[in-house]
Amino acid sequence: MTVPTTHWTELDSPVGPLLLTADPGTGALTSLSVPGQKGGRTVQEGWRHDPALFRAAEEQLAAYFAGELKEFQLELNTDGSEFRERVWAALDTVPYGATTTYGEIAARIGASRAAVRAVGGAIGANPLLIVRPCHRVIGADGSLTGYAGGLERKVRLLTLEGRLQGASSSPLL
């Protein structure tokens, strides 16, 4: 059985270059990563550069960075465990300009308070930065906690969404 080729493109953005990959059969976005991202993707031999496949993503990301788009309408296709998929689906419900905590995400998916660390691991493994808004998850005390794309990018995204006024270190809740 032949493994389908991954299609990819790279876009410039205010937070640096974005590497997007998609399922060649459906065109569904499978990842969005940034250079230096913990667990991020890099172009592999045999991948097919196919910018046309990503037109909708490119237009929506440009509108998001221009402050004109609050919710992405893209077909997504991720391949995580049942637990991770539940966590990622909960991320999709966090509105533009809002923040939530790891504990609140655990509660949304019906996980115990003890599962907060596992929720954090699932959020850290989110393959769709920006589009699936893991940057909107903060610490219980309102602090900006880890972000696979780097805290500087998290600050820039939350500032863009009007949640932060510059690089404030004050609690967000």
Side-chain angles (χ1 to χ4, degrees), residues 21-166:
T21 64
D23 178 288
T26 65
L29 200 60
T30 55
S31 73
L32 188 160
S33 47
V34 296
Q37 174 184 332
K38 180 182 169 190
R41 300 188 81 179
T42 56
V43 176
Q44 303 295 309
E45 187 177 326
W47 283 14
R48 181 172 172 217
H49 186 238
D50 188 2
L53 187 62
F54 299 90
R55 289 289 178 248
E58 181 177 14
E59 290 169 5
Q60 289 186 40
L61 284 161
Y64 169 80
F65 285 116
E68 300 164 356
L69 181 80
K70 309 285 189 241
E71 189 175 323
F72 291 97
Q73 299 295 321
L74 297 167
E75 186 178 349
L76 308 177
N77 182 8
T78 50
D79 185 26
S81 67
E82 180 187 337
F83 179 79
R84 283 185 173 182
E85 292 289 344
R86 286 183 15 235
V87 170
W88 297 339
L91 288 176
D92 291 339
T93 68
V94 181
Y96 180 96
T99 55
T100 190
T101 66
Y102 296 92
E104 289 168 351
I105 293 288
R108 283 184 196 189
I109 66 165
S112 71
R113 190 79 188 134
V116 169
R117 186 174 295 262
V119 166
I123 291 170
N126 171 21
L128 290 161
L129 294 189
I130 304 167
V131 172
R132 182 160 276 153
C134 54
H135 60 276
R136 297 178 188 153
V137 182
I138 59 172
D141 63 357
S143 63
L144 297 181
T145 55
Y147 180 60
L151 282 179
E152 181 180 309
R153 283 188 184 98
K154 183 173 191 159
V155 167
R156 291 194 67 185
L157 293 168
L158 291 173
T159 301
L160 169 77
E161 293 185 10
R163 190 65 182 151
L164 289 179
Q165 305 300 316

